[in-house]
Amino acid sequence: MTLDNEEENIPLHPIERTLLTFLSKKEKNGDWFDIDSVSSGSGLSLDQIRRGIEWLKSKKLIDVQEENAIAYALGSQGKTAVAEGLPERKLIKLLLASGGSAGLDAISKSLGPEFSVALGLAKKNNWIGLSVGTARLNTSKASEKEKEELLLEKIQAKGKLHSSELSPEEKEVLSALVKRHKGLIDEISQKIVKIRITSKGHDVSKSAHKDEIDEISPDVILSGSWRNRPLRAIDVTSSAPSFYGGRKHPIRMFIEEVKEVFVSLGFEEIEGSIVQSTLWNFDALFIPQQHSTREMQDTFYLSDVKANLAKFPREIDLIKASHEKGEGTGSLGWRYKWSEDEARRIVLRTHTTAVTIRYLSDHKPAEARVFSVGKVFRNEKPNYKHNPAFYQIEGVTVGPHLNMRNLIYIISKFYSRLGFEKIKFWPTYFPYTEPSLQTMAYYEKKKRWMELGGMGVFRPEVTIPLGVKNPVLAWGLGLDRLVMMRYDLNDIRDLFGANLGWLRTAKVL
Ligand code: PHE
């Protein structure tokens, strides 16, 4: 046979050389070899073989094939059965101990729930004879091991057995044992890797070649051997064990993305406390004190504490006047007696709008573009799209001449930057905006529209007491549902479980 230069020059690592030599000697008529047999025949460890396979495959010196197969191992019951005997063997031991025969009552007492299986199989094996309530030992037969026992021992000795290692008769015994009862034999599905040398592999195995340098050690450098031996090329595409380093939670990543979108649209981030007085959470938003959203079944109140509102005498007067008679706003207000004491109650904020309102009150801007992202709390039953704690994306733009069309533009832009294109707007009602809209997105997975949040133009009853003169476009949008849709989840609560598998492998989308 003539070898061309190319094949002569393919450098091999010692592992590859051993593998290739083994395969070329053993192979007849294109045989496939599984890793276990290669390992026992070549003296290489499984790990070395796996590495060698990757290298030889990329050099096209071997073919690789993967098969799914089932292996059998002893289950917990199987281990006990080998140690203590199967029920039928226990019965024989019992009869031996009692001189060769025993009454069925006594046997039943001692074997418990295993009694009838034991009796049936011992009889079938011809190990015992039965007569009038008594079992008698058939000593010559019972001293032989039954097929089941032999197979269990074989599996125990090997640890794991593939069906290819079993005779047809053993296979029958095995399937009966698997069915006999749970925990006797465990079925383990496995991938079996098989390899076969290629003709190029044959050629290379016969050629004389220099061993590759696997690792650059001080030795290799000092001895100068690197000058005339090739270095092993690294195949960066070969598979490697998965590695899970620390990473951000998908919600965290999404929040950062949301912030980036707003910043890129010229917004500035603002922050506020999770705990708020009802003054800022409700009253400053022109939500009347009898409004149903303020009730305990909707809102979490902190018991036994009240806010100190001494810092806000002016704000309180104006908010009170707005609620009671709509002073300076062109409306009549809600026409009831507003209570300062009620406004001092403290809640876990039910929306991030409280943060926006504090900002407007503190800065009274003529123009602004601000946003915030934060957790809000509502006393509602959890289900696939509701969680009592969730994130909102809140913001306002303030400026002369702003109107609803500008608001729809900003919000559409925001969603499309995040990749949500199927969005619609729907008229709705909030006590603090006029007009008001809600937005919905179509969730392909659930084949339905999901409500995402609310928006609108703040009413004068809100802005006048705060001292803001120009129109304010405001929105508060749910964040969790967006993450749920992006990750195709069925249930919003999955975002907050300790599902490490998902947390480790969830793609950065
Ligand atoms: N606060 C409203 C909510 O939580 C959303 C909203 C914010 C609506 C601002 C209008 C203006 O649902």
Side-chain angles (χ1 to χ4, degrees):
M1 184 187 317
T2 53
L3 293 176
D4 60 32
N5 275 338
E6 193 206 334
E7 270 142 24
E8 266 176 2
N9 287 334
I10 290 183
L12 293 180
H13 183 273
I15 291 177
E16 291 174 289
R17 183 207 281 279
T18 311
L19 252 179
L20 215 54
T21 312
F22 171 82
L23 289 174
S24 81
K25 278 196 189 133
K26 282 272 173 168
E27 191 249 15
K28 293 174 218 103
N29 321 319
D31 288 343
W32 290 91
F33 294 89
D34 64 61
I35 300 195
D36 288 325
S37 67
V38 175
S39 175
S40 53
S42 66
L44 292 171
S45 73
L46 288 177
D47 205 49
Q48 288 175 314
I49 291 177
R50 279 193 202 104
R51 285 195 289 155
I53 286 178
E54 286 297 330
W55 302 334
L56 289 173
K57 183 170 83 173
S58 67
K59 292 174 183 168
K60 300 203 162 50
L61 303 182
I62 59 167
D63 292 326
V64 181
Q65 173 182 282
E66 282 187 1
E67 256 172 39
N68 290 321
I70 293 183
Y72 301 90
L74 291 185
S76 57
Q77 309 264 349
K79 286 177 192 147
T80 324
V82 173
E84 296 171 11
L86 285 162
E88 57 271 31
R89 179 60 65 192
K90 284 192 200 158
L91 170 61
I92 299 310
K93 286 184 187 157
L94 194 85
L95 290 176
L96 275 171
S98 51
S101 70
L104 293 184
D105 283 352
I107 299 173
S108 162
K109 227 189 211 141
S110 142
L111 291 183
E114 292 180 333
F115 168 70
S116 49
V117 188
L119 202 68
L121 290 169
K123 179 86 182 53
K124 185 169 157 235
N125 290 349
N126 234 342
W127 286 351
I128 58 168
L130 292 174
S131 62
V132 280
T134 310
R136 198 176 313 282
L137 191 60
N138 185 352
T139 322
S140 65
K141 287 280 181 196
S143 60
E144 286 167 27
K145 285 204 170 156
E146 62 175 332
K147 296 173 219 144
E148 283 78 0
E149 290 170 312
L150 292 172
L151 186 61
L152 286 175
E153 282 165 15
K154 181 166 171 182
I155 297 177
Q156 190 190 37
K158 288 221 161 197
K160 231 184 322 180
L161 217 58
H162 290 285
S163 55
S164 60
E165 296 170 274
L166 297 170
S167 69
E169 194 190 9
E170 282 175 321
K171 276 186 195 162
E172 258 174 52
V173 175
L174 181 83
S175 76
L177 273 178
V178 170
K179 281 190 215 123
R180 189 158 155 180
H181 66 86
K182 239 200 163 127
L184 212 47
I185 307 261
D186 288 342
E187 293 178 289
I188 306 160
S189 62
Q190 280 196 323
K191 238 187 220 146
I192 296 192
V193 178
K194 291 192 167 178
I195 55 175
R196 178 175 70 180
I197 189 165
T198 62
S199 65
K200 185 175 172 190
H202 271 303
D203 295 346
V204 171
S205 79
K206 282 173 201 130
S207 69
H209 34 240
K210 290 175 179 156
D211 280 351
E212 281 183 319
I213 297 173
D214 186 29
E215 218 175 302
I216 304 178
S217 60
D219 244 18
V220 168
I221 296 171
L222 290 174
S223 68
S225 66
W226 57 271
R227 283 179 212 281
N228 41 34
R229 279 171 59 198
L231 274 176
R232 181 169 64 78
I234 293 172
D235 177 4
V236 291
T237 64
S238 71
S239 61
S242 308
F243 169 76
Y244 304 110
R247 64 183 306 207
K248 285 182 184 154
H249 192 284
I251 293 227
R252 216 7 84 193
M253 292 193 273
F254 193 79
I255 288 175
E256 280 169 18
E257 201 181 324
V258 164
K259 290 183 177 181
E260 232 168 85
V261 170
F262 273 117
V263 169
S264 76
L265 291 173
F267 283 75
E268 226 175 278
E269 187 177 358
I270 56 172
E271 282 173 327
S273 171
I274 277 176
V275 176
Q276 296 279 345
S277 65
T278 50
L279 179 75
W280 297 115
N281 194 78
F282 293 128
D283 294 285
L285 279 158
F286 197 53
I287 300 173
Q289 294 188 325
Q290 310 76 19
H291 197 276
S292 60
T293 61
R294 293 194 184 222
E295 280 168 23
M296 299 275 277
Q297 54 272 33
D298 288 317
T299 299
F300 293 111
Y301 285 89
L302 271 65
S303 46
D304 307 327
V305 275
K306 286 272 172 117
N308 177 359
L309 298 179
K311 274 191 292 182
F312 308 111
R314 238 183 82 76
E315 287 81 353
I316 286 179
D317 279 351
L318 292 168
I319 289 168
K320 178 181 161 86
S322 172
H323 276 244
E324 291 187 347
K325 41 188 190 297
E327 197 165 285
T329 66
S331 87
L332 294 174
W334 297 114
R335 286 181 286 172
Y336 71 104
K337 180 117 193 57
W338 186 83
S339 149
E340 180 175 337
D341 199 45
E342 180 64 33
R344 291 177 57 219
R345 295 177 75 186
I346 295 183
V347 296
L348 295 183
R349 69 182 176 205
T350 61
H351 49 192
T352 37
T353 318
V355 177
T356 305
I357 290 294
R358 270 307 295 275
Y359 169 84
L360 294 177
S361 175
D362 290 350
H363 296 86
K364 312 194 186 315
E367 286 185 36
R369 274 183 233 168
V370 295
F371 77 96
S372 66
V373 181
K375 235 179 199 170
V376 302
F377 305 84
R378 293 190 192 166
N379 194 359
E380 48 190 32
K381 265 220 171 75
N383 64 28
Y384 85 92
K385 57 178 182 172
H386 286 110
N387 223 7
F390 59 98
Y391 287 95
Q392 275 191 329
I393 307 160
E394 183 90 20
V396 285
T397 39
V398 186
H401 320 303
L402 289 175
N403 62 35
M404 205 61 179
R405 294 180 74 86
N406 305 128
L407 180 54
I408 292 175
Y409 175 80
I410 294 168
I411 300 304
S412 316
K413 197 90 194 155
F414 166 73
Y415 282 121
S416 88
R417 288 262 175 110
L418 289 171
F420 297 94
E421 302 285 356
K422 214 165 168 185
I423 298 289
K424 69 179 176 186
F425 296 88
W426 211 252
T428 187
Y429 171 79
F430 298 104
Y432 37 98
T433 46
E434 180 60 38
S436 310
L437 289 179
Q438 60 171 319
T439 78
M440 300 196 224
Y442 191 70
Y443 190 17
E444 206 50 63
K445 179 162 185 134
K446 296 264 185 194
K447 299 261 176 276
R448 62 166 64 163
W449 288 91
M450 296 245 277
E451 219 179 292
L452 291 182
M455 63 178 101
V457 183
F458 276 149
R459 301 171 68 111
E461 290 92 329
V462 175
T463 52
I464 298 296
L466 300 176
V468 176
K469 306 259 157 41
N470 281 333
V472 179
L473 311 179
W475 58 88
L477 314 169
L479 178 134
D480 311 52
R481 287 184 184 175
L482 295 175
V483 183
M484 168 183 179
M485 290 196 278
R486 183 175 275 191
Y487 283 94
D488 255 347
L489 301 180
N490 273 320
D491 195 309
I492 205 157
R493 290 165 293 186
D494 292 346
L495 287 171
F496 302 97
N499 182 349
L500 286 184
W502 181 71
L503 290 173
R504 281 180 175 146
T505 55
K507 289 215 176 79
V508 179
L509 294 172

